[in-house]
């Protein structure tokens, strides 16, 4: 059975110990939760992600992180419609899962032309502008205009669509009505739409526990990392068969049309490995992202992903998560080679807390059966806003609970997104969020704590305050609980030097210089300027003092891109009289004392 | 192209073309593949243009590739299996040739139609044309010449035979030569005795082989047969990669 093979090579030795459900193979996953209530749709995450990963030719159209307005078509257009795009898994009558686009034989039979791959038009044709005209145009009465040019052909083009063309419901009912969910639940949402019901949905790769993209890769280039569950593409093994693009129901694998290879969100693994949050999290203006380790029972993933009723998938996935505070789990984790450090981290994990302890985070489209690991706290704001607009006290518990009931329409929409259409879990989440508002308002106003508000949603006052702390106050270290990598390099020694820097090779991402080389663009060895940038940036962000300007071997050279204005990098200024040292002079020994 | 063929017997030109050239090509193919695998694994891809255009590709590409697969099988059978074997199996020469011609012509026409469609698409679809390198153009020229000479030859000989004429049997000239290459005793005389169209096609074939490692055609060597036998979900540890890339002189390239 397909899912039995989940555990793969690495866990082959763990087979056959599941009589009375002891804990199976424990695996760790670095996961994310986004609190949609706080998303203001500023696209900062998208932009910083793009700058970090996809500001190269060939992936102009690719946004590893994008922010969609809901209701809306999303990016690529209507990607959620799996009848059309054939992403994710389907459960066959005998209970086995097969990729919706077909199993191994069918994959290979259609390898010469993937029948359901989105075209560039489904994303958008990337473009630039003819800036040269601005400086070269002859003197005339009219100002010269930089008109759009296709980044694919260089020819003039009409810009008609992009990754967030329908942002903030731009395009109105015509575009939003093509949202696959709106089409499914019909007029119910349109009514609400007239009440300007709208929220933002930032999306990255889900780094699924049961990834279809990995299952569909004929070359075996896509893999899920044992240590942290991050799903990556081995660029040296990818042969450009494009099956992963079809298989991913979230359409979060992009085909680099210059290099002919698949690329995807990396969960910023070079940062995560050294304990830093992903770029999208780091730069999130609303501070709505949470990162943390979730321990799960890998032996149960296949079973959970193939439960018969789609609406049970959410609970099934929760059932796969293991409680890191449980001593038995800790023992099993140790048995399976997970360092205690990681288990400790999992105990503090905000992701586990929001998903399982408070149950306010929900998976995106569990019905795709991939067991996604980027979860969402659904938005309550429209409810509060609507109430306030009608003149009610939008934060009074009774009003709020009633309003959630009355606003069935958004709840149904949210349920289509997060629970395969089952409104009960979404309803509970919204009630809990509402309860938290009412409960904490009393606290803030110096009133007595009203435990009944908490019990009405199945929580205690303490739990509500913990949840409030996490959702409203949590600082950097509480939002991003990311342990440093383990495995090869004995990170336990406390030195993570170079463990994470997998950009440390010629031709890593972000390289320039993909010129006219003999075997097609991007073959061979391009320049490595941004490798240096990466190292310098990391040094700057992780050291106390001013950056010294690069790695060993680059001393004496000053990369102005990396100079943050602090200190006096050697060679940048003429030497001072009087022989005073400054920190630019500490060769190779890292930032010097000031 | 090979005037010495008219002379009969085997001259020095025959020695170069049929005795030396095959080994040069063999070294180029093997050495080229090893070199490319070690130093340009990142460039080892189909470089698909499906993202730009899929309507024509969806017809042309399977037509070409499946046609080509049949053509390859035909070549393997024709070149590797001696005529004595098929005769021993009770297959008459006539039956053999009729079958071979039928399959060959159908597959050849499919392949040619497929690549014609693909080239037309490549030329007329803006983004696809922009993504075409000089390397690709050279490859297309050689590939099309190989197909055209092969198919043309097949059709021509079939025509001659149908008209009651007589043509030489490649199973007595080309095939023994091809097999003799592999035992390092090239039967130059056999190939020298072949008719000119065969020689032309063989040269085109050699040119195509020589190009294989250095063009996008290299993707043929990564046909993902292993996919049929592996578990769906692949797990990998962070340190397992260097083993796979161990022979590489440069540092490990991680996926992203």
């Amino acid at each position: 059975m397909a899912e039995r093979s989940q555990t793969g090579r690495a866990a082959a030795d763990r087979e056959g110990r599941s009589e009375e459900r002891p804990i199976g193979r424990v695996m760790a996953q670095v996961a994310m939760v986004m609190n949609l209530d706080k998303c203001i749709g500023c696209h900062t995450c998208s932009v910083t992600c793009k700058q970090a990963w996809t500001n190269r030719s060939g992936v102009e159209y690719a946004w590893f992180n994008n922010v969609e307005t809901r209701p809306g078509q999303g990016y690529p257009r209507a990607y959620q419609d799996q009848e059309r795009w054939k992403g994710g898994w389907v459960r066959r009558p005998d209970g086995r899962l097969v990729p919706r686009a077909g199993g191994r034989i069918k994959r290979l039979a259609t390898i010469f032309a993937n029948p359901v791959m989105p075209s560039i038009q489904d994303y958008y044709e990337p473009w630039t502008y003819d800036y040269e005209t601005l400086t070269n145009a002859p003197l005339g009465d009219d100002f010269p205009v930089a008109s759009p040019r296709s980044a694919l052909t260089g020819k003039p083009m009409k810009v008609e669509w992009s990754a967030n063309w329908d942002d903030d419901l731009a395009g109105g009912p015509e575009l939003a009505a093509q949202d696959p969910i709106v089409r499914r639940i019909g007029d119910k949402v349109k009514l609400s739409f007239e009440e300007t019901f709208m929220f933002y949905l930032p999306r990255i790769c889900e780094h699924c526990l049961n990834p279809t993209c990995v299952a569909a890769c004929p070359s075996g280039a896509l893999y899920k990392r044992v240590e942290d569950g991050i799903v990556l593409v081995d660029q040296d093994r990818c042969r450009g068969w494009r099956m992963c693009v079809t298989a991913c129901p979230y359409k979060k694998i992009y085909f680099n049309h210059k290099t002919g290879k698949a690329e995807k969100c990396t969960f910023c693994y070079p940062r995560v490995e050294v304990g830093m949050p992903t770029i999208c999290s780091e730069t999130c203006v609303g501070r709505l992202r949470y990162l943390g380790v979730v321990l799960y029972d890998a032996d149960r993933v296949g079973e959970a992903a193939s439960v018969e009723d789609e609406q049970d998938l959410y609970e099934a996935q929760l059932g796969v998560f293991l409680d890191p505070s449980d001593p038995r789990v800790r023992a099993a984790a140790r048995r399976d080679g997970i360092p205690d450090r990681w288990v400790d981290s999992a105990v503090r994990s905000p992701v586990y807390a929001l998903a399982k302890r408070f149950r306010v985070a929900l998976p995106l489209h569990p019905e795709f059966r991939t067991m996604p690991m980027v979860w969402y706290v659904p938005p309550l704001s429209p409810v509060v806003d609507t109430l306030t607009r009608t003149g009610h006290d939008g934060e009074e518990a009774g009003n709020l609970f009633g309003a959630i009931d009355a606003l069935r329409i958004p709840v149904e929409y949210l349920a289509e997104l997060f629970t395969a259409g089952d409104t009960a879990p979404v309803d509970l989440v919204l009630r809990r969020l509402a309860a938290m508002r009412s409960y904490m308002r009393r606290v803030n106003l110096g009133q007595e704590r009203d435990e009944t508000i908490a019990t009405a949603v199945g929580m205690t006052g303490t739990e509500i305050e913990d949840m409030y702390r996490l959702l409203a106050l949590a600082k950097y270290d509480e939002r991003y609980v990311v342990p440093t990598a383990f495995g090869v390099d004995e990170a336990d020694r406390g030195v993570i030097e170079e463990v994470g820097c997998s950009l440390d090779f010629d031709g890593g991402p972000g390289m320039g210089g993909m010129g006219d080389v003999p075997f097609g663009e991007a073959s061979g060895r391009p320049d490595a300027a941004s490798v240096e940038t990466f190292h310098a940036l990391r040094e700057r962000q992780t050291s106390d003092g001013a950056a010294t300007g690069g790695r060993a071997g680059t001393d004496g050279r000053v990369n102005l891109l990396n100079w943050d204005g602090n200190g006096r990098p050697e060679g940048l200024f003429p030497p001072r009289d009087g022989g005073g040292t400054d920190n630019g002079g500490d060769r190779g020994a890292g930032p010097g004392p000031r | 192209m090979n005037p010495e063929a008219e002379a009969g017997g085997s001259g020095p030109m025959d020695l170069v073309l049929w005795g030396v050239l095959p080994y040069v090509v063999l070294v180029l193919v093997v050495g080229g593949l090893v070199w490319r695998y070690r130093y340009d694994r990142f460039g080892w891809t189909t470089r698909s243009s499906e993202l730009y255009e899929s309507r024509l590709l969806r017809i042309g590409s399977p037509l070409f590739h499946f046609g080509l697969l049949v053509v390859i099988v035909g070549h393997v059978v024709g070149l590797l299996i001696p005529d004595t074997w098929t005769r021993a199996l009770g297959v008459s020469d006539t039956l053999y040739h009729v079958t071979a011609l039928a399959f060959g012509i159908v597959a050849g026409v499919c392949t040619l139609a497929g690549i014609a469609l693909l080239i037309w698409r490549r030329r007329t679809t803006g983004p696809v044309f922009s993504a075409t390198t000089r390397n690709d153009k050279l490859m297309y020229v050689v590939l099309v010449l190989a197909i055209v000479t092969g198919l043309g030859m097949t059709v021509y000989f079939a025509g001659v035979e149908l008209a009651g004429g007589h043509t030489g049997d490649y199973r007595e000239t080309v095939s023994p030569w091809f097999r003799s290459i592999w035992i390092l005793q090239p039967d130059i005389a056999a190939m020298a005795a072949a008719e000119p169209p065969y020689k032309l096609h063989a040269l085109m074939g050699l040119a195509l082989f020589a190009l294989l490692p250095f063009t996008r055609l290299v993707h043929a060597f990564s046909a993902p047969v292993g996919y049929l036998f592996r578990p769906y979900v692949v797990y990998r540890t962070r340190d397992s990669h260097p083993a796979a890339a161990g022979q590489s002189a440069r540092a490990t390239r991680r996926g992203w």
Side-chain angles (χ1 to χ4, degrees):
Chain A
M1 167 162 179
E3 295 69 42
R4 293 294 297 168
S5 52
Q6 275 289 342
T7 44
R9 249 186 313 175
D13 54 330
R14 308 285 174 196
E15 292 296 335
R17 52 166 85 183
S18 56
E19 287 94 54
E20 46 102 36
R21 306 257 54 171
I23 298 165
R25 157 102 170 159
V26 180
M27 290 183 84
Q29 169 88 33
V30 183
M32 187 186 284
V33 165
M34 299 189 215
N35 183 357
L36 297 184
D37 238 349
K38 293 189 183 181
C39 185
I40 58 171
C42 66
H43 298 272
T44 307
C45 44
S46 307
V47 171
T48 51
C49 172
K50 187 138 196 71
Q51 293 290 9
W53 292 105
T54 56
N55 57 349
R56 294 164 285 138
S57 69
V59 280
E60 307 93 342
Y61 77 101
W63 295 82
F64 292 171
N65 182 110
N66 74 296
V67 183
E68 301 167 359
T69 300
R70 290 276 145 194
Q73 298 184 41
Y75 156 81
R77 284 191 232 201
Y79 68 92
Q80 290 152 309
D81 183 357
Q82 302 311 335
E83 293 304 309
R84 180 173 172 207
W85 296 119
K86 309 281 182 204
W89 301 86
V90 277
R91 184 181 187 276
R92 295 201 311 203
D94 64 358
R96 290 172 58 174
L97 291 188
V98 282
R100 191 182 289 269
R104 296 181 177 85
I105 307 266
K106 193 172 173 197
R107 290 273 135 186
L108 291 193
T110 56
I111 202 162
F112 299 130
N114 186 343
V116 276
M117 183 180 158
S119 77
I120 191 79
Q121 308 302 339
D122 292 305
Y123 299 92
Y124 65 96
E125 184 167 347
W127 72 90
T128 178
Y129 291 94
D130 179 21
Y131 294 109
E132 209 179 2
T133 309
L134 298 181
T135 50
N136 287 0
L139 188 63
D141 292 336
D142 303 317
F143 280 105
V145 173
S147 55
R149 293 277 184 277
S150 165
L152 301 182
T153 60
K155 302 253 162 47
M157 67 172 276
K158 188 165 179 277
V159 177
E160 287 173 324
W161 193 257
S162 85
N164 61 337
W165 205 248
D166 51 358
D167 216 15
D168 290 346
L169 300 178
E174 287 144 59
L175 289 184
Q178 293 169 45
D179 177 340
I181 297 177
V182 173
R183 270 186 287 160
R184 198 174 319 141
I185 59 181
D187 296 338
K188 294 173 195 164
V189 159
K190 267 188 201 150
L191 289 171
S192 186
F193 179 69
E194 259 115 51
E195 298 167 40
T196 53
F197 162 63
M198 169 188 104
F199 63 96
Y200 301 103
L201 182 71
R203 295 200 302 125
I204 64 171
C205 164
E206 296 282 344
H207 297 277
C208 307
L209 299 185
N210 187 31
T212 338
C213 57
V214 174
C217 176
S219 315
L222 266 157
Y223 62 98
K224 190 166 179 68
R225 286 214 305 200
V226 173
E227 290 86 356
D228 49 21
I230 296 176
V231 176
L232 293 173
V233 185
D234 181 338
Q235 293 288 302
D236 274 354
R237 288 178 73 169
C238 175
R239 301 283 174 253
W241 302 122
R242 316 174 298 290
M243 294 301 171
C244 51
V245 179
T246 303
C248 174
Y250 302 94
K251 288 294 168 280
K252 275 295 175 190
I253 300 203
Y254 302 91
F255 185 73
N256 182 321
H257 57 87
K258 291 288 187 207
T259 64
K261 307 251 168 173
E263 295 189 19
K264 67 180 289 298
C265 160
T266 64
F267 216 82
C268 287
Y269 70 90
R271 291 172 59 92
V272 166
E273 283 175 359
V274 295
M276 291 160 76
T278 65
I279 282 284
C280 52
S281 308
E282 171 89 52
T283 58
C284 177
V285 173
R287 302 182 178 188
L288 58 92
R289 298 195 187 217
Y290 298 83
L291 293 174
V293 171
V294 174
L295 301 181
Y296 67 98
D297 186 338
D299 291 348
R300 295 195 196 179
V301 168
E303 183 191 320
S306 47
V307 294
E308 190 169 359
D309 186 350
E310 286 181 348
Q311 299 194 340
D312 294 337
L313 280 161
Y314 162 56
E315 282 296 333
Q317 187 169 358
L318 275 183
V320 166
F321 296 167
L322 297 171
D323 180 3
S325 318
D326 183 344
R328 291 189 313 134
V329 171
R330 178 175 286 265
R334 192 173 288 166
R335 175 197 72 197
D336 293 334
I338 295 175
D340 286 353
R341 204 155 48 76
W342 274 59
V343 182
D344 293 339
S345 177
V347 172
R348 299 200 302 124
S349 168
V351 174
Y352 182 82
L354 292 171
K356 190 143 181 183
R357 194 169 151 227
F358 305 130
R359 292 200 173 216
V360 289
L362 300 169
L364 181 65
H365 289 299
E367 72 274 20
F368 297 161
R369 296 182 183 272
T370 60
M371 306 252 122
M373 287 305 285
V374 173
W375 286 33
Y376 294 88
V377 179
L380 179 68
S381 298
V383 183
V384 179
D385 292 346
T386 311
L387 265 182
T388 312
R389 251 200 314 277
T390 56
H392 292 85
D393 179 354
E395 290 190 321
E396 202 271 320
N399 281 352
L400 260 180
F401 290 163
I404 292 168
D405 259 353
L407 289 179
R408 275 287 165 199
I409 299 146
V411 173
E412 283 186 18
Y413 189 92
L414 294 173
E416 286 289 334
L417 273 184
F418 300 121
T419 53
D422 182 7
T423 53
V426 181
D427 202 61
L428 179 66
V429 172
L430 295 182
R431 280 167 187 277
R432 287 193 163 179
L433 294 176
M436 182 181 79
R437 285 196 180 219
S438 302
Y439 186 91
M440 291 311 298
R441 186 174 72 156
R442 293 182 66 87
V443 175
N444 288 337
L445 294 179
Q447 295 168 344
E448 224 177 294
R449 283 173 162 75
D450 185 355
E451 199 68 20
T452 58
I453 297 178
T455 49
V457 293
M459 297 176 86
T460 66
T462 323
E463 276 181 326
I464 283 205
E465 288 190 50
D466 285 352
M467 185 167 89
Y468 167 75
R469 164 141 201 100
L470 198 50
L471 287 178
L473 305 177
K475 296 298 180 197
Y476 196 90
D477 287 349
E478 291 167 81
R479 279 181 282 130
Y480 311 133
V481 184
V482 186
T484 49
F486 70 95
V488 247
D489 289 290
E490 284 301 311
D492 282 308
R493 280 178 300 169
V495 182
I496 316 297
E497 189 191 16
E498 300 297 318
V499 172
C501 194
S502 311
L503 294 166
D504 193 12
F505 53 82
D506 290 343
M511 308 291 103
M514 293 179 172
D516 189 19
V517 282
F519 307 116
E521 282 188 82
S523 71
R525 305 180 180 195
D527 306 332
S530 56
V531 170
E532 189 184 327
T533 308
F534 176 84
H535 280 278
L537 274 176
R538 199 180 73 192
E539 183 186 76
R540 199 179 85 200
Q541 289 173 341
T542 53
S543 66
D544 299 326
T548 51
R551 292 185 283 166
T554 60
D555 288 37
R557 281 166 54 200
V558 181
N559 183 343
L560 285 178
L561 286 174
N562 299 329
W563 185 50
D564 61 359
N566 288 322
R568 294 170 57 86
E570 194 176 20
L572 187 60
F573 300 106
R576 276 180 183 161
D577 294 333
T581 54
D582 57 54
N583 55 16
D586 307 314
R587 284 184 62 87
R594 305 256 250 162
Chain B
M1 197 159 184
N2 44 353
E4 78 292 339
E6 311 303 324
S10 53
M13 199 60 191
D14 285 315
L15 177 68
V16 172
L17 288 182
W18 318 121
V20 178
L21 193 58
Y23 293 103
V24 173
V25 170
L26 198 61
V27 168
L28 270 178
V29 172
V30 175
L33 284 175
V34 170
W35 169 80
R36 185 129 188 220
Y37 188 73
R38 288 182 61 145
Y39 296 105
D40 187 32
R41 229 176 291 178
F42 184 59
W44 191 305
T45 152
T46 55
R47 294 192 44 233
S48 163
S49 56
E50 184 170 7
L51 189 68
Y52 302 139
E53 199 281 341
S54 63
R55 201 172 50 88
L56 294 173
L57 183 92
R58 213 171 290 168
I59 304 164
S61 179
L63 203 57
F64 168 73
H65 281 96
F66 284 117
L68 194 64
L69 287 178
V70 175
V71 167
I72 289 172
V73 170
H75 278 74
V76 168
V77 172
L79 292 176
L80 289 186
I81 300 180
D83 41 7
T84 48
W85 292 20
T86 48
R87 278 184 210 127
L89 283 174
V91 180
S92 76
D93 279 11
T94 319
L95 177 64
Y96 177 89
H97 283 296
V98 167
T99 316
L101 275 180
F103 274 100
I105 289 177
V106 170
V109 166
C110 285
T111 311
L112 190 62
I115 199 161
L117 189 59
L118 289 177
I119 291 176
W120 188 70
R121 161 185 181 271
R122 188 159 280 277
R123 182 64 193 86
T124 54
T125 312
V128 186
F129 187 55
S130 305
T132 308
T133 62
R134 268 177 296 174
N135 181 298
D136 290 341
K137 288 171 189 166
L138 173 70
M139 181 275 291
Y140 275 115
V141 168
V142 176
L143 182 59
V144 168
L145 279 177
I147 297 172
V148 166
T149 53
L151 183 61
M153 182 181 85
T154 311
V155 171
Y156 169 73
F157 286 136
V160 171
E161 293 279 353
L162 278 178
H166 178 72
T167 59
D169 186 353
Y170 64 87
R171 301 175 93 199
E172 285 154 15
T173 55
V174 185
S175 302
W177 166 74
F178 183 80
R179 289 193 293 270
S180 70
I181 293 171
W182 302 100
I183 55 169
L184 303 180
Q185 289 167 0
D187 187 352
I188 299 164
M191 189 60 197
E195 287 164 301
Y198 286 122
K199 292 181 174 171
L200 186 61
H201 181 59
L203 286 177
M204 282 302 132
L206 287 174
L208 188 62
F209 277 118
L211 279 182
L212 276 183
F214 309 104
T215 60
R216 63 197 307 178
L217 293 182
V218 75
H219 75 264
F221 292 95
S222 47
V225 182
Y227 180 53
L228 291 173
F229 308 103
R230 76 148 220 249
Y232 267 135
V233 177
V234 177
Y235 286 87
R236 221 206 257 183
T237 52
R238 285 168 69 246
D239 61 336
S240 72
H241 192 200
Q247 312 102 15
S248 172
R250 63 183 172 78
T252 300
R253 186 194 290 270
R254 282 232 171 83
W256 62 81

